[in-house]
Amino acid sequence: MSTTTKDTWTKTTCAYCGVGCGIEARPTRDGALEIQGDQSHPANFGRLCSKGLALGETVGHQGRLLHPSIAGTQCDWAPALDTVASRFSEVIAQHGPDAVAFYVSGQLLTEDYYVANKLMKGFIGSGNIDTNSRLCMSSSVAGHKRAFGADCVPGCYADLELADLVILTGSNLAWCHPVLYQRLKAAKTARPELKVIVIDPRTTSSCEIADLHLAIHPGSDVALFNGLLAYLAQHQHLDPAYIADHTEGFDMALASARRDAQDLRALATITGISRQQLTAFFRLFAETEKVVTVYSQGVNQSSQGTDKVNSLLNCHLATGRIGKPGSGPFSVTGQPNAMGGREVGGLANTLAAHMEFGNDTQSQMVSEFWQTETLARTPGLKAIDLFDAIDSGRVKAVWIMATNPAVSLPDSETIQRALTQCPFVVVSDCIADTDTTRLADVLLPAQGWSEKSGTVTNSERRISRQRRLLPTPGDGKPDWWIISEVAKRMGFGHAFDYRHEADIFREYSRMTTLDNTTAASPARRVLNLSGLANLTPEQYHQLSPQQWPVLDQPATTSETSISKRLFANGQFATPSGKAQFIAVKYQPPLNQISLAYPLVLNSGRIRDQWHTMTRTGLSPRLGEHTPEPCVTLHPDDAACHHLTSGQLARITSRYGEVTARVTLSRSVRAGDVFVPIHWNQTTASAGKVCQLIGPQTDSLSGQPEFKFTPVALAPLAYGSEAVVLTKRPLAPELLTDCAYWSRQTVSQGYLYRLASEAKPDALFARLAQTASRADRQLSFSSANGLYRHALIEKSLLEFYVLVADSLHQHDVEWLYPLLDEPLDDSIERALISGQLEGKLAGGKTVCACKQVGKNTLCAAIREQQLTTVAEVSACTQAGTGCGSCTGEIQLLIETVQEEDTSITNAVNHRS
Ligand SMILES: Nc1nc2c(c(=O)[nH]1)N[C@H]1C(S)=C(S)[C@@H](COP(=O)(O)OP(=O)(O)OC[C@H]3O[C@@H](n4cnc5c(=O)[nH]c(N)nc54)[C@H](O)[C@@H]3O)O[C@H]1N2
Ligand SMILES: Nc1nc2c(c(=O)[nH]1)N[C@H]1C(S)=C(S)[C@@H](COP(=O)(O)OP(=O)(O)OC[C@H]3O[C@@H](n4cnc5c(=O)[nH]c(N)nc54)[C@H](O)[C@@H]3O)O[C@H]1N2
Ligand code: SF4
Ligand SMILES: [Mo]
């Protein structure tokens, strides 16, 4: 396989999710990138989702962190690196190694991660390096280790296609792992007997292909899977031979499961799932041999996350459905290199390369391998405890790399305070202004995706290369280089003298082989890259995707390795070689709803944004799908809380407050609300959902309870609302005066939504003042407080304001592209009248690939009486690209049908 083809396409891996899709990219003349799916990559075989496809739009230099700085003053690398090294060394000398910490990320490459772990655990001599994977995968890691003896995902993607039943639990695969979802969907279309069950409190886009959706009571998964285990035993659907030969602890696990599942009625009450649905689920699992259970954050991010994981692993072990084609539990990883980080030892409680603290032989091996006498001997602090230690002053210096904890850790107020008080905060990032960089003493510019080079491992344990495609702007450097330079200045030069990422990869691969070459070795580990331990730089450069373990050196020019499963022979990585059943018992979430906080807040992802939006937020196209912070609630709850669709709501909890736009939907259960995780201080006044979330965690994994927070909801009081379309960000003073603001990136500028306690006339006066002069002005105002004001320079819109008492009645989606296109008479008329004609009538983009708008779709559905996604796709082309909008098209069909029904009902009622 050649990595660069004749027409200069370079093979690399997507910057986003753990599916790890192969991409081919080539630079365009204007410094952007052309992107296409890599047909030969076994994760995606050429497919890409909307985020992957839009990567080319996000490689501009807008907002980049270009130079190192100390206390806000730009400097060269040398003083910045000297400062970091000397401040860390001073703290260590005075207070010991546990007074410093690294907080790193699944968005680092394996090489970066390896070097960071080596410096902290190997040479500083503290376990205090933890990662945002604590928030993401740590319950899976803990569950895997308990059951299998090692943190291993047993299956591969092909299993989703080979299964006869795929269960998606706590996973919105359609939006969060879209290409894997597309593969599943295609398999189901080809083979309709493949059944899909979704277990999720919400009706998500993933339910579009579900034969059964269990809208589970949040947090009750252990009870559900215990019910399943008890059912399997009661109805003789166990695999007694497998249990006897390959597992231990079954009786205790079953006894515990039976206590949770004594009768179906009680189980129905705990889980909120009807007895009929429970039986249907149990029966389908029992009677289907090939079952894959895909799980993600609805399982992991819970105060019972690890037990949730083991409750479902128990059911797979009890039926021997693991390590076989089309069978197995499947934890899908979130970040592009969540898996790689787990491999090298990025979590505070593992040592390195799947070797553990507390194992003297392994500690000895690692010490010798790294040639260090200061290896950490005990685990470090897990993320939440680490930030508590920063808050209380025990940790006095922290280095944050490739993560934005001021947004993504729970209890934002504490995190903010901890980082403000901490004597020395270093942040390595690619972006200049994030909630976390605002709190840094030293800022270090890192290379971003398309500039950096190294490896990542995806959910199916497949290692792929990320390759350099573009020059790095400013002084940006690879993370591994930055860490190594600091290590050298701390006196550890001999161990960090790397010239190239290939050196690091080779060293890491060699580490996985330590006493791991014969089946009899006591330190035997599944993670073994002996086949990659001698790659030359050229072979590393050419490396094709490889699934671990890699025992033989691959012919690098060959196609990628075939799919491999682990534990196929029933041999596990535990001391006895047998898998462990874990007796688990349902426990309700730690915080319960009360009169003061009567609703359950669930938080998670939307289709087109990635985390704190530092990259996806740069793409106007991706911003259109969900343009501002929103809270989705059931219409019945809206009525109780005096809220209507489109209004702004205040959401409060014991920990803080968020403001978001109300969306009404029966996709959430009455009593639950859903808020996306993506907004932060740079994009909204109070959109950071972690402001509401408490620091409670799973006691085993340390993973926070992100999916269950008691909250209250009330209308936000405001006297007027506005939309401002502007080429430059609005002044902070203007924004702080507002009761609410949010900022959306549009082509050539920003679209702000504002709400103010002031009356419309006063708000309009303030906004109009901020506009600069222009060739022409168009203005409209009405007696009932409606203002429209446009500034036009040579037929291009410079600035536009719409002020009203409420935006509810005003479609603003058509304004998104207007800063970037010459105005014509019909647009100018619309700017002033609000009446849309011609192409303006198409509406908000639903299908980002084919650029089909909501109004066009709704009109087609209504006028042509379309009832299926296939009909809509045939008629409008929408959904024929990456297909990740098909769920939304389905929702539009339902919305139109619902509207039509309610209109019919209303008409019938009147007549
Ligand atoms: N578009 C997009 N894709 C992403 C990301 C992104 O930011 N944007 N981030 C990536 C990362 S890092 C991750 S970790 C993954 C996360 O991928 P997912 O885990 O699929 O995403 P979430 O939206 O966090 O949560 C999944 C679902 O869990 C459900 N849930 C909540 N509580 C419960 C419960 O008690 N039980 C069950 N069974 N379900 C529950 C939620 O309603 C939600 O639909 O996505 C990755 N992919
Ligand atoms: N309420 C709630 N909170 C959550 C979750 C939830 O479901 N609900 N999910 C949690 C999960 S699963 C996750 S994974 C986290 C994600 O949360 P974060 O990791 O905080 O989110 P990102 O926005 O991805 O932050 C990555 C940062 O690294 C920078 N960056 C990107 N590439 C590089 C690089 O190569 N080097 C360096 N040095 N910097 C780089 C980006 O610019 C960005 O600032 O959020 C967690 N928080
Ligand atoms: S599915 Fe994930 S890895 Fe693939 S293109 Fe989309 S975001 Fe990238
Ligand atoms: Mo994640």
Side-chain angles (χ1 to χ4, degrees):
M1 182 192 75
S2 168
T3 56
T4 308
T5 50
K6 269 196 236 87
D7 47 356
T8 63
W9 288 99
T10 301
K11 286 182 192 287
T12 186
T13 315
C14 177
Y16 300 116
C17 83
V19 178
C21 293
I23 282 183
E24 289 176 339
R26 65 178 173 191
T28 59
R29 267 199 210 106
D30 57 359
L33 283 176
E34 233 180 307
I35 298 281
Q36 65 185 23
D38 177 357
Q39 305 279 349
S40 70
H41 197 289
N44 55 317
F45 297 110
R47 295 179 176 88
L48 292 176
C49 76
S50 54
K51 291 188 300 304
L53 281 168
L55 268 168
E57 290 170 37
T58 66
V59 292
H61 299 169
Q62 184 190 346
R64 283 296 296 267
L65 178 61
L66 296 172
H67 309 286
S69 66
I70 303 173
T73 306
Q74 184 181 323
C75 62
D76 290 335
W77 272 109
L81 296 165
D82 288 343
T83 305
V84 176
S86 61
R87 290 294 298 270
F88 266 72
S89 299
E90 279 161 28
V91 174
I92 295 164
Q94 272 186 23
H95 305 280
D98 290 335
V100 300
F102 294 168
Y103 182 60
V104 302
S105 157
Q107 288 163 76
L108 290 176
L109 301 171
T110 298
E111 292 75 3
D112 306 324
Y113 234 133
Y114 174 83
V115 173
N117 187 50
K118 180 178 177 183
L119 175 57
M120 183 51 81
K121 291 189 185 139
F123 289 84
I124 291 177
S126 168
N128 280 349
I129 170 170
D130 209 37
T131 146
N132 64 359
S133 283
R134 183 69 56 198
L135 320 178
C136 181
M137 307 313 307
S138 60
S139 296
S140 284
V141 174
H144 286 156
K145 283 189 184 174
R146 285 207 295 188
F148 309 146
D151 174 24
C152 295
V153 171
C156 45
Y157 293 158
D159 288 329
L160 272 74
E161 294 155 335
L162 296 170
D164 292 320
L165 170 63
V166 174
I167 298 165
L168 304 177
T169 181
S171 153
N172 183 9
L173 206 70
W175 282 10
C176 296
H177 298 91
V179 165
L180 201 48
Y181 177 79
Q182 289 310 314
R183 286 180 62 169
L184 174 61
K185 189 175 166 185
K188 187 168 166 59
T189 309
R191 213 160 43 81
E193 63 276 19
L194 189 173
K195 296 281 182 276
V196 175
I197 298 179
V198 173
I199 305 171
D200 193 310
R202 298 187 301 147
T203 310
T204 61
S205 283
S206 307
C207 293
E208 188 211 331
I209 57 165
D211 297 281
L212 182 62
H213 169 216
L214 307 179
I216 193 172
H217 195 298
S220 64
D221 304 63
V222 170
L224 178 67
F225 280 91
N226 270 348
L228 173 60
L229 188 64
Y231 179 95
L232 294 170
Q234 192 188 347
H235 295 85
Q236 283 86 44
H237 284 286
L238 300 172
D239 183 340
Y242 192 89
I243 294 172
D245 295 345
H246 303 298
T247 72
E248 288 169 344
F250 176 70
D251 292 344
M252 300 268 282
L254 179 62
S256 187
R258 281 188 167 140
R259 278 193 288 277
D260 267 354
Q262 263 157 2
D263 82 85
L264 212 53
R265 198 184 304 258
L267 199 59
T269 309
I270 296 175
T271 57
I273 299 166
S274 72
R275 282 179 285 166
Q276 293 76 2
Q277 284 202 319
L278 284 173
T279 317
F281 166 51
F282 295 165
R283 206 175 268 161
L284 206 53
F285 188 104
E287 291 169 0
T288 314
E289 194 44 48
K290 291 186 175 174
V291 183
V292 171
T293 305
V294 173
Y295 62 99
S296 187
Q297 301 314 342
V299 169
N300 292 334
Q301 290 173 336
S302 151
S303 52
Q304 241 207 322
T306 310
D307 283 353
K308 284 187 181 187
V309 169
N310 286 107
S311 70
L312 69 87
L313 297 185
N314 283 347
C315 295
H316 277 269
L317 291 171
T319 47
R321 293 176 190 155
I322 186 163
K324 297 174 182 161
S327 277
F330 206 131
S331 150
V332 278
T333 53
Q335 298 172 92
N337 201 28
M339 185 71 93
R342 284 149 67 177
E343 290 161 12
V344 299
L347 289 162
N349 51 322
T350 55
L351 185 51
H354 280 199
M355 288 179 277
E356 299 295 333
F357 285 110
N359 179 324
D360 288 343
T361 319
Q362 294 186 343
S363 287
Q364 188 61 33
M365 280 188 320
V366 174
S367 292
E368 280 169 21
F369 183 75
W370 280 342
Q371 298 187 0
T372 178
E373 286 168 5
T374 50
L375 185 77
R377 296 286 161 166
T378 48
L381 296 169
K382 300 185 180 117
I384 304 297
D385 299 335
L386 176 62
F387 279 81
D388 272 350
I390 298 173
D391 192 34
S392 66
R394 279 177 294 141
V395 167
K396 298 171 201 310
V398 63
W399 186 353
I400 297 164
M401 307 174 203
T403 176
N404 195 353
V407 185
S408 54
L409 275 172
D411 190 8
S412 309
E413 204 177 301
T414 303
I415 307 301
Q416 184 91 16
R417 189 183 55 231
L419 290 177
T420 308
Q421 289 172 0
C422 182
F424 191 56
V425 178
V426 183
V427 177
S428 307
D429 208 293
C430 326
I431 297 294
D433 184 22
T434 75
D435 291 26
T436 304
T437 58
R438 288 179 181 191
L439 304 170
D441 298 298
V442 175
L443 278 177
L444 304 174
Q447 288 181 339
W449 181 87
S450 79
E451 298 141 18
K452 59 185 181 179
S453 159
T455 55
V456 290
T457 313
N458 74 5
S459 300
E460 60 164 3
R461 312 182 313 282
R462 197 178 292 281
I463 299 169
S464 297
R465 285 293 322 272
Q466 272 197 15
R467 292 189 172 88
R468 195 167 287 129
L469 308 163
L470 293 171
T472 308
D475 295 333
K477 291 283 186 191
D479 286 286
W480 66 259
W481 180 90
I482 306 174
I483 303 160
S484 301
E485 286 302 309
V486 169
K488 287 176 192 165
R489 287 164 166 80
M490 291 178 77
F492 311 126
H494 60 287
F496 292 87
D497 199 13
Y498 303 113
R499 287 153 307 154
H500 189 270
E501 46 275 6
D503 295 345
I504 306 168
F505 185 77
R506 205 168 34 241
E507 177 179 316
Y508 157 59
S509 300
R510 275 212 333 275
M511 191 179 205
T512 66
T513 69
L514 296 178
D515 198 18
N516 199 18
T517 40
T518 67
S521 46
R524 183 137 180 92
R525 299 171 308 281
V526 184
L527 172 63
N528 189 332
L529 306 181
S530 48
L532 305 176
N534 296 309
L535 294 184
T536 62
E538 186 51 28
Q539 286 168 324
Y540 175 81
H541 179 68
Q542 297 283 343
L543 188 69
S544 54
Q546 301 293 328
Q547 204 183 18
W548 64 256
V550 190
L551 302 181
D552 303 312
Q553 176 149 344
T556 50
T557 48
S558 76
E559 281 308 297
T560 52
S561 68
I562 50 156
S563 294
K564 283 182 219 150
R565 291 171 191 88
L566 300 177
F567 314 132
N569 58 1
Q571 278 294 307
F572 291 86
T574 53
S576 64
K578 295 187 173 189
Q580 303 294 306
F581 280 97
I582 306 294
V584 292
K585 189 179 168 317
Y586 162 68
Q587 252 138 23
L590 292 173
N591 287 329
Q592 286 299 314
I593 53 168
S594 60
L595 273 178
Y597 300 114
L599 298 163
V600 173
L601 167 79
N602 172 5
S603 64
R605 285 139 180 90
I606 58 172
R607 191 189 74 187
D608 285 354
Q609 293 296 351
W610 177 262
H611 297 166
T612 68
M613 294 194 198
T614 53
R615 185 178 289 273
T616 45
L618 302 175
S619 158
R621 188 154 57 122
L622 295 178
E624 293 179 7
H625 180 249
T626 310
E628 63 180 326
C630 59
V631 50
T632 308
L633 68 153
H634 193 277
D636 293 353
D637 287 329
C640 299
H641 293 83
H642 313 290
L643 287 162
T644 51
S645 167
Q647 199 179 354
L648 287 166
R650 272 183 71 219
I651 315 161
T652 47
S653 79
R654 270 175 58 199
Y655 296 91
E657 183 176 327
V658 157
T659 311
R661 185 82 57 188
V662 171
T663 308
L664 299 189
S665 166
R666 289 177 200 279
S667 67
V668 295
R669 302 156 9 116
D672 295 353
V673 301
F674 181 82
V675 176
I677 60 172
H678 309 285
W679 281 270
N680 51 64
Q681 283 174 9
T682 64
T683 47
S685 51
K688 196 149 84 176
V689 69
C690 281
Q691 207 77 49
L692 297 167
I693 292 173
Q696 293 74 25
T697 60
D698 175 296
S699 59
L700 291 162
S701 68
Q703 185 152 356
E705 179 119 81
F706 279 130
K707 301 280 191 256
F708 196 106
T709 305
V711 293
L713 230 64
L716 180 80
Y718 48 92
S720 56
E721 280 193 88
V723 166
V724 180
L725 202 53
T726 165
K727 296 209 159 156
R728 281 164 294 278
L730 289 180
E733 313 81 74
L734 185 72
L735 298 176
T736 37
D737 270 3
C738 290
Y740 165 84
W741 65 265
S742 67
R743 190 186 84 187
Q744 176 189 352
T745 301
V746 294
S747 209
Q748 300 301 326
Y750 304 98
L751 185 140
Y752 284 86
R753 291 170 173 82
L754 311 172
S756 165
E757 282 164 14
K759 294 259 175 291
D761 51 350
L763 179 61
F764 177 71
R766 286 222 58 192
L767 292 171
Q769 255 176 26
T770 68
S772 48
R773 293 177 179 281
D775 280 358
R776 272 191 306 138
Q777 299 193 7
L778 302 174
S779 269
F780 167 90
S781 65
S782 78
N784 57 2
L786 184 62
Y787 294 85
R788 294 195 176 97
H789 185 66
L791 295 186
I792 298 165
E793 190 85 40
K794 300 196 186 74
S795 92
L796 283 175
L797 188 61
E798 282 289 307
F799 188 82
Y800 180 70
V801 185
L802 160 66
V803 179
D805 51 0
S806 151
L807 284 180
H808 191 50
Q809 300 296 329
H810 300 274
D811 178 5
V812 298
E813 290 160 2
W814 66 279
L815 295 170
Y816 297 166
L818 293 193
L819 289 175
D820 197 20
E821 52 188 54
L823 304 179
D824 60 22
D825 287 350
S826 74
I827 299 177
E828 287 197 10
R829 277 198 302 278
L831 285 171
I832 290 315
S833 69
Q835 301 296 319
L836 308 186
E837 316 158 21
K839 70 172 180 179
L840 289 179
K844 183 189 96 162
T845 311
V846 172
C847 174
C849 305
K850 300 284 168 176
Q851 288 290 305
V852 188
K854 182 169 139 191
N855 299 351
T856 309
L857 286 166
C858 288
I861 296 166
R862 204 169 282 126
E863 284 155 22
Q864 321 264 341
Q865 303 200 336
L866 309 175
T867 57
T868 64
V869 176
E871 286 171 4
V872 176
S873 294
C875 177
T876 62
Q877 290 285 300
T880 57
C882 79
S884 66
C885 62
T886 51
E888 240 195 306
I889 298 176
Q890 181 66 38
L891 285 180
L892 282 182
I893 298 173
E894 284 161 26
T895 314
V896 172
Q897 284 170 343
E898 250 173 46
E899 278 167 14
D900 289 352
T901 323
S902 56
I903 292 166
T904 321
N905 286 348
V907 172
N908 289 347
H909 193 72
R910 274 203 299 273
S911 56

